[in-house]
């Protein structure tokens, strides 16, 4: 693959870190979009030491803060000619309902809306780079029952896992919409399940949810193994024909029946566009 410019969110730990390290070894110029720049700088030095690749860059980007997302995109647009790979890796699950500074429910903001705004803001660079957009979803999408009249979980009892599963379903909807809308412009998009990975991802859970995660730990895979499908989609030579698909263990698989719902997919796009409109320019 020729020189590749890759942007990745959530790279300071877990599968994001393993993905960034692996792609740096393959010679990618890697832009680490991170919430905590100190951690990002430490990771940058770790990657440079391990790979001898000096084309590693750190940028602040808090996906729960739409202004931060827009600012990161503006900096990238000011310094790059194109982006070839965008990996929307960051995610989170929250034990209790919380709102972002913009008033969005945090699970929705971090797992979906921040990435939606990032893609829309970077669209000129993604088009020029004939980019692959990779959205890290989850098999948790199979528990989703989306309510488009209450995306923010303000009108019903909040459930950490149901909110998370719904956001992961939205990753699949988003992927399919990107493939259909921007495929004619040379952009491809993929969603993936990384596996049940042993990381600090669900550290904030409490009560029964925390007990469940502790019981599951012996059966979890390593972050290195969990990163393999992201790495594959970012670097394999011939996957673009499978744009719009959901991957597991480096192969396309069938997601839940609701993930194929065209009405829901289109509704999510329309509502997401309305919500990010004040932050686009």
């Amino acid at each position: 693959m020729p020189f590749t410019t890759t942007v990745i969110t959530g790279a300071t730990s877990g599968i994001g870190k393993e993905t960034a390290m692996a792609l740096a070894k393959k010679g990618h110029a890697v832009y680490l979009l991170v919430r905590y720049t100190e951690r990002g700088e430490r990771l940058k030095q770790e990657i440079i030491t391990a790979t001898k690749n000096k084309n590693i860059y750190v940028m602040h980007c808090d996906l729960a803060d739409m202004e931060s997302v827009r600012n990161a995109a503006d900096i990238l647009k000011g310094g790059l000619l194109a982006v070839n790979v965008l990996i929307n890796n960051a995610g989170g699950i929250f034990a209790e309902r919380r709102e972002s500074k913009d008033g969005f429910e945090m699970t929705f903001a971090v797992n979906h809306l921040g990435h939606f705004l990032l893609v829309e803001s970077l669209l000129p660079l993604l088009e020029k780079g004939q980019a692959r957009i990779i959205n890290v979803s989850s098999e948790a999408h199979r528990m989703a029952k989306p309510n488009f009249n209450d995306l923010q979980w303000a009108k019903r009892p909040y459930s950490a896992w149901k909110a998370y599963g719904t956001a992961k379903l939205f990753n699949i909807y988003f992927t399919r919409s990107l493939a259909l809308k921007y495929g004619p412009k040379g952009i491809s998009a993929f969603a993936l399940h990384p596996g049940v990975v042993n990381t600090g991802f669900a550290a904030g859970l409490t009560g029964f949810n925390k007990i469940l995660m502790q019981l599951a730990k012996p059966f979890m895979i390593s972050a290195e193994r969990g990163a393999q499908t992201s790495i594959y989609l970012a670097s394999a030579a011939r996957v673009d024909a499978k744009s719009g698909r959901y991957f597991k263990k480096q192969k396309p698989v069938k997601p839940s029946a609701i993930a194929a719902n065209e009405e829901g997919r289109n509704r999510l796009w329309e509502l997401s566009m309305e919500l990010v409109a004040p932050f686009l320019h």
Side-chain angles (χ1 to χ4, degrees), residues 135-154:
N135 297 315
V136 178
S137 180
S138 168
E139 283 290 271
H141 84 272
R142 297 185 186 278
M143 70 175 77
K145 294 179 180 177
N147 181 341
F148 290 103
N149 294 315
D150 188 23
L151 287 177
Q152 312 300 335
W153 290 83

Side-chain angles (χ1 to χ4, degrees), residues 17-28 47 51 227-228 231:
K17 178 178 178 180
E18 296 294 338
T19 302
M21 184 72 76
L23 295 178
K25 284 180 182 175
K26 292 177 181 289
H28 291 217
I47 292 174
T51 68
Q228 293 309 304
I231 296 164

Side-chain angles (χ1 to χ4, degrees), residues 202-216:
L205 290 178
T206 57
F208 184 63
N209 286 327
K210 185 175 183 178
I211 294 169
L212 279 179
M213 292 301 292
Q214 291 297 326
L215 290 173

Side-chain angles (χ1 to χ4, degrees), residues 5-9 29 31 33 76 80 83 85-87 118 122:
T5 298
T6 294
V7 175
I8 179 170
T9 68
Y31 288 77
L33 270 55
L76 287 169
L80 294 177
V83 169
V85 179
L86 171 60
I87 305 176
L118 183 62
L122 289 178

Side-chain angles (χ1 to χ4, degrees), residues 24-61:
K25 284 180 182 175
K26 292 177 181 289
H28 291 217
V30 182
Y31 288 77
L32 309 168
L33 270 55
V34 300
R35 186 169 35 150
Y36 301 112
T37 51
E38 305 85 4
R39 291 185 195 174
E41 291 294 341
R42 285 199 295 271
L43 175 60
K44 171 184 173 178
Q45 293 308 316
E46 188 179 338
I47 292 174
I48 291 173
T49 300
T51 68
K52 312 305 180 196
N53 180 347
K54 295 182 179 179
N55 293 307
I56 312 299
Y57 308 93
V58 176
M59 296 178 53
H60 178 257
C61 180

Side-chain angles (χ1 to χ4, degrees), residues 14-273:
I15 64 172
K17 178 178 178 180
E18 296 294 338
T19 302
M21 184 72 76
L23 295 178
K25 284 180 182 175
K26 292 177 181 289
H28 291 217
V30 182
Y31 288 77
L32 309 168
L33 270 55
V34 300
R35 186 169 35 150
Y36 301 112
T37 51
E38 305 85 4
R39 291 185 195 174
E41 291 294 341
R42 285 199 295 271
L43 175 60
K44 171 184 173 178
Q45 293 308 316
E46 188 179 338
I47 292 174
I48 291 173
T49 300
T51 68
K52 312 305 180 196
N53 180 347
K54 295 182 179 179
N55 293 307
I56 312 299
Y57 308 93
V58 176
M59 296 178 53
H60 178 257
C61 180
D62 182 349
L63 287 157
D65 179 346
M66 298 301 130
E67 188 175 347
S68 173
V69 174
R70 186 191 65 199
N71 289 342
D74 286 346
I75 293 169
L76 287 169
K77 285 189 287 188
L80 294 177
L81 295 175
V83 169
N84 306 110
V85 179
L86 171 60
I87 305 176
N88 293 321
N89 169 82
I93 185 169
F94 301 89
E96 297 175 350
R97 186 184 182 277
R98 292 165 50 192
E99 287 190 0
S100 70
K101 64 171 283 191
D102 304 304
F104 302 127
E105 189 274 317
M106 287 290 283
T107 318
F108 177 70
V110 171
N111 292 279
H112 169 67
L113 200 62
H115 285 131
F116 186 95
L117 176 59
L118 183 62
V119 169
E120 288 302 302
S121 299
L122 289 178
L123 201 54
L125 295 185
L126 297 169
E127 287 182 24
K128 287 176 185 172
Q130 302 285 280
R132 292 179 184 177
I133 301 172
I134 299 161
N135 297 315
V136 178
S137 180
S138 168
E139 283 290 271
H141 84 272
R142 297 185 186 278
M143 70 175 77
K145 294 179 180 177
N147 181 341
F148 290 103
N149 294 315
D150 188 23
L151 287 177
Q152 312 300 335
W153 290 83
K155 303 173 185 175
R156 56 194 156 140
Y158 175 80
S159 161
W161 280 110
K162 287 179 181 177
Y164 179 72
T166 300
K168 295 292 105 180
L169 171 67
F170 289 171
N171 294 156
I172 297 174
Y173 280 165
F174 184 36
T175 298
R176 184 65 178 155
S177 291
L178 288 171
L180 292 170
K181 291 176 184 296
Y182 299 143
K185 298 181 179 181
I187 293 172
S188 54
F190 310 89
L192 69 99
H193 170 60
V196 182
V197 184
N198 189 1
T199 67
F201 158 75
L205 290 178
T206 57
F208 184 63
N209 286 327
K210 185 175 183 178
I211 294 169
L212 279 179
M213 292 301 292
Q214 291 297 326
L215 290 173
K217 270 192 179 295
F219 306 99
M220 293 178 179
I221 63 174
S222 68
E224 184 179 7
R225 282 182 61 195
Q228 293 309 304
T229 301
S230 293
I231 296 164
Y232 167 75
L233 290 170
S235 58
R238 290 183 289 275
V239 296
D240 294 314
K242 296 170 183 174
S243 179
R245 301 288 299 278
Y246 173 66
F247 280 71
K248 185 178 176 182
K249 296 181 179 178
Q250 303 179 38
K251 292 182 171 57
V253 297
K254 192 173 181 179
S256 68
I258 200 169
N261 185 288
E262 185 177 355
E263 183 180 353
R265 177 173 59 75
N266 289 335
R267 185 76 178 123
L268 176 67
W269 185 276
E270 291 166 5
L271 291 170
S272 300
M273 271 295 192

